[in-house]
């Protein structure tokens, strides 16, 4: 029963991402504004473009896999079991996101996604979902192990907007970069501060080793 519950949780997280990304990508189509310049589109389309720059980014998908691993590993006392379940959770989340996103994009844009392309993304979901899900589970570990795992998403997001920068032609690109950097920096400071305080109070000593 528990295994079914955590699989459903991971799948729901992935489906939410895939659905959200596909919907915001196609708002201009829904509103008939595809052929209008970005500056002349409605507020709905511009808001959707802002969200799409986030939801379509690699770091956001990685963050969802980490989040899934963190969610499904709750209550597991064995570190090995937590890492295994977390890894599977991250994998399931990305597989669900990829399938739902591909299906919705096909329906909305009436373009058939190639089988090879879909297989590539599904394989990548497994290859990346497993370690990212395990990272999510590791966040629950006490001490610096959990702190370092918790830093993966904010540091990855900050690096992601540099390596895979939002489309420069988008008016929202600059705002997205600043927002991601600000949130990532804040999250990193909070994680490190909590880890230092836990270390000083002695609560993190038990988890200082893997």
């Amino acid at each position: 029963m528990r295994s079914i519950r955590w699989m459903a949780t991971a799948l729901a997280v992935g489906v939410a991402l895939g659905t959200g990304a596909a919907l915001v990508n196609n708002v201009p189509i829904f509103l008939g504004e595809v052929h209008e310049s970005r500056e002349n589109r409605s507020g709905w389309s511009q808001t959707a473009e802002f969200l799409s720059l986030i939801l379509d980014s690699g770091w956001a998908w990685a963050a969802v896999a980490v989040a899934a691993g963190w969610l499904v590993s709750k209550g597991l006392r064995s570190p090995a079991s937590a890492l295994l379940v977390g890894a599977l959770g991250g994998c399931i989340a990305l597989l669900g996101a990829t399938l739902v996103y591909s299906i919705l994009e096909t329906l909305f844009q009436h373009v058939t996604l190639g089988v090879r392309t879909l297989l590539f993304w599904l394989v990548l979901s497994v290859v990346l979902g497993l370690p990212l899900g395990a990272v999510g589970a590791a966040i629950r570990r006490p001490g610096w192990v959990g702190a370092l795992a918790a830093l993966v998403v904010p540091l990855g997001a900050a690096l992601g907007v540099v390596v895979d920068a939002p489309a420069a032609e988008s008016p929202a690109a600059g705002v997205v970069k600043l927002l991601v950097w600000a949130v990532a920096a804040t999250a990193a400071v909070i994680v490190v501060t909590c880890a230092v305080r836990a270390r000083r109070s002695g609560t993190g000593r038990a988890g200082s080793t893997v």
Side-chain angles (χ1 to χ4, degrees), residues 22 25-26 28-30 34 100-114:
N25 283 351
N26 291 281
I29 293 179
F30 302 151
V34 176
V100 171
Y101 179 83
S102 301
I103 292 172
L104 292 180
E105 284 286 290
T106 299
L107 292 175
F108 295 152
Q109 299 189 19
H110 305 290
V111 176
T112 302
L113 184 66

Side-chain angles (χ1 to χ4, degrees), residues 16 47 60 68 78 94 130 157:
T47 300
S78 169
L94 288 189
L130 291 172

Side-chain angles (χ1 to χ4, degrees), residues 53-150:
L53 292 177
I54 296 176
L55 296 181
D56 284 341
S57 63
W59 66 262
W61 285 60
V64 165
V66 173
W70 179 79
L71 284 171
V72 301
S73 61
K74 181 179 180 181
L76 296 177
R77 296 182 178 180
S78 169
S81 297
L83 289 177
L84 176 59
V85 171
L88 293 176
C91 178
I92 291 173
L94 288 189
L95 286 173
T98 300
L99 285 172
V100 171
Y101 179 83
S102 301
I103 292 172
L104 292 180
E105 284 286 290
T106 299
L107 292 175
F108 295 152
Q109 299 189 19
H110 305 290
V111 176
T112 302
L113 184 66
V115 175
R116 290 185 178 180
T117 302
L118 179 58
L119 287 176
F120 169 79
W121 288 111
L122 290 176
V123 170
L124 195 62
S125 296
V126 175
V127 172
L128 297 180
L130 291 172
L132 288 170
V135 167
I139 293 176
R140 295 189 179 279
R141 297 288 302 278
W144 286 104
V145 173
L148 290 175

Side-chain angles (χ1 to χ4, degrees), residues 18-74:
T19 302
L23 287 175
V24 296
N25 283 351
N26 291 281
V27 167
I29 293 179
F30 302 151
L31 300 179
E33 299 175 350
V34 176
H35 301 294
E36 295 185 21
S37 63
R38 285 181 165 88
E39 293 77 11
N40 294 327
R41 290 177 180 176
S42 66
W44 288 108
S45 288
Q46 293 186 27
T47 300
E49 182 173 355
F50 174 83
L51 294 174
S52 71
L53 292 177
I54 296 176
L55 296 181
D56 284 341
S57 63
W59 66 262
W61 285 60
V64 165
V66 173
W70 179 79
L71 284 171
V72 301
S73 61
K74 181 179 180 181

